[in-house]
Amino acid sequence: MRQAFVAAALVLALPWSAGAQEAAESVTVRTRADAVGDLYRFRSEARYAERNADGDASQTNSQAFDVEVLGVTPDGLKLRYTLREASLTDSSGPSMETALKALIGVPLEFRLRHDGTLAGLDNWEAFKTRVLAGVDAALPRLDTIRNIYHQRFAQEPLYAAQDMVLGDVRLMAIMEPVGPTPLGSKVVTDFRRSPPGRALSDVRVLKAGCTVRVTRAAVGGSTGVRQDFTTDAVVSSRDGRVITLAQRRVERAGASSVDESVNIRRVSPAPAC
């Protein structure tokens, strides 16, 4: 569970050279069609640190999770997410880790469009009931984190699922091109943020027929707020899935600051090439 970031951002600059290939050039990604039964395992490592007038807060967490293809539709996929392992250290105490572990082994079935948009949830009520029952069994009735979980899961289901469970899955989907993809740099709608803004996207071939590198950066902010938000992913050209992903978000607003990093790597084998 990661805190929301400042929504307003304006693309001002890139932290890498923008000398890209001609716009007419493209690369085809996900040359092997998705198939029911495809199973991927990933490990996500995240760090979060915040400083404001109320003090400092920090969190580190590590999660291993599976993503399985249950169905293929014209505009996306039906998937199953299952958390397999989780560890977390939070400056507020051990309750956050205890609550997170209530998700282990509880599958969530959902539909995701190719652009990373969450299109639907197929077993949300059953998932929510099992997770909250686990949280209630593990934490005292008046525990702050227990109450936060109930509040967050009471949100509109698609938002709650994205907020509490599917953040890493959705981020990977946003960074995974499908089909013919122009090489070089262009301004795109940035669905990493809510509401969406603008970002500069850069796509380059790392190894022909094997891997591509996708980078998205938004640098800017609103009055008194400075934000640098960059995501860099190496993606298999064959199955279209992330091999490694690194995201860094930095915010500065007067004496307040946020530093967040997310690193995801595929644990299951990538296609040989």
Side-chain angles (χ1 to χ4, degrees):
M1 181 170 57
R2 300 182 187 121
Q3 300 198 21
F5 36 79
V6 174
L10 176 66
V11 177
L12 299 176
L14 272 176
W16 70 89
S17 170
Q21 294 97 325
E22 293 297 323
E25 295 183 25
S26 66
V27 60
T28 299
V29 184
R30 202 167 294 189
T31 56
R32 182 186 71 77
D34 293 291
V36 174
D38 288 348
L39 179 66
Y40 306 92
R41 178 165 290 186
F42 300 93
R43 180 170 292 278
S44 173
E45 309 277 349
R47 293 180 177 274
Y48 181 90
E50 180 177 8
R51 173 170 292 178
N52 56 41
D54 296 326
D56 296 348
S58 63
Q59 182 186 107
T60 62
N61 73 69
S62 175
Q63 302 177 30
F65 57 91
D66 293 345
V67 178
E68 181 180 0
V69 177
L70 301 180
V72 180
T73 66
D75 66 345
L77 298 170
K78 180 177 179 179
L79 302 167
R80 177 188 289 130
Y81 167 94
T82 309
L83 182 64
R84 298 300 183 186
E85 303 172 20
S87 62
L88 184 151
T89 302
D90 191 276
S91 56
S92 67
S95 292
M96 190 72 80
E97 181 181 53
T98 301
L100 175 62
K101 287 187 173 182
L103 278 72
I104 293 176
V106 185
L108 175 60
E109 297 179 6
F110 62 101
R111 282 161 279 134
L112 199 67
R113 297 190 182 97
H114 290 312
D115 64 3
T117 303
L118 189 58
L121 304 168
D122 296 317
N123 69 332
W124 176 251
E125 288 304 320
F127 176 83
K128 173 182 171 180
T129 298
R130 284 186 60 184
V131 169
L132 292 181
V135 171
D136 290 350
L139 293 173
R141 184 172 60 86
L142 298 180
D143 185 271
T144 300
I145 302 304
R146 171 176 163 164
N147 293 334
I148 287 174
Y149 261 67
H150 278 271
Q151 292 168 8
R152 294 290 183 91
F153 273 90
Q155 300 175 103
E156 192 277 327
L158 287 177
Y159 187 84
Q162 178 180 306
D163 181 30
M164 299 294 291
V165 187
L166 299 176
D168 287 336
V169 174
R170 186 169 174 272
L171 173 60
M172 288 192 293
I174 290 169
M175 299 298 293
E176 294 169 341
V178 179
T181 303
L183 293 170
S185 301
K186 64 176 182 178
V187 176
V188 298
T189 301
D190 189 6
F191 291 104
R192 297 172 304 170
R193 298 179 284 125
S194 180
R198 294 190 301 161
L200 193 56
S201 174
D202 187 72
V203 179
R204 298 169 187 267
V205 174
L206 288 183
K207 183 177 180 181
C210 183
T211 53
V212 296
R213 181 179 182 180
V214 181
T215 305
R216 285 196 179 188
V219 182
S222 56
T223 304
V225 179
R226 177 73 178 174
Q227 183 185 67
D228 185 338
F229 188 29
T230 303
T231 311
D232 188 86
V234 175
V235 177
S236 167
S237 302
R238 300 194 175 184
D239 62 21
R241 303 297 175 188
V242 159
I243 298 173
T244 62
L245 181 150
Q247 179 167 278
R248 176 79 189 278
R249 177 170 66 96
V250 177
E251 289 182 9
R252 299 289 183 267
S256 298
S257 65
V258 171
D259 291 87
E260 180 184 41
S261 65
V262 180
N263 290 277
I264 302 172
R265 61 182 174 87
R266 189 194 301 202
V267 179
S268 54
C273 56

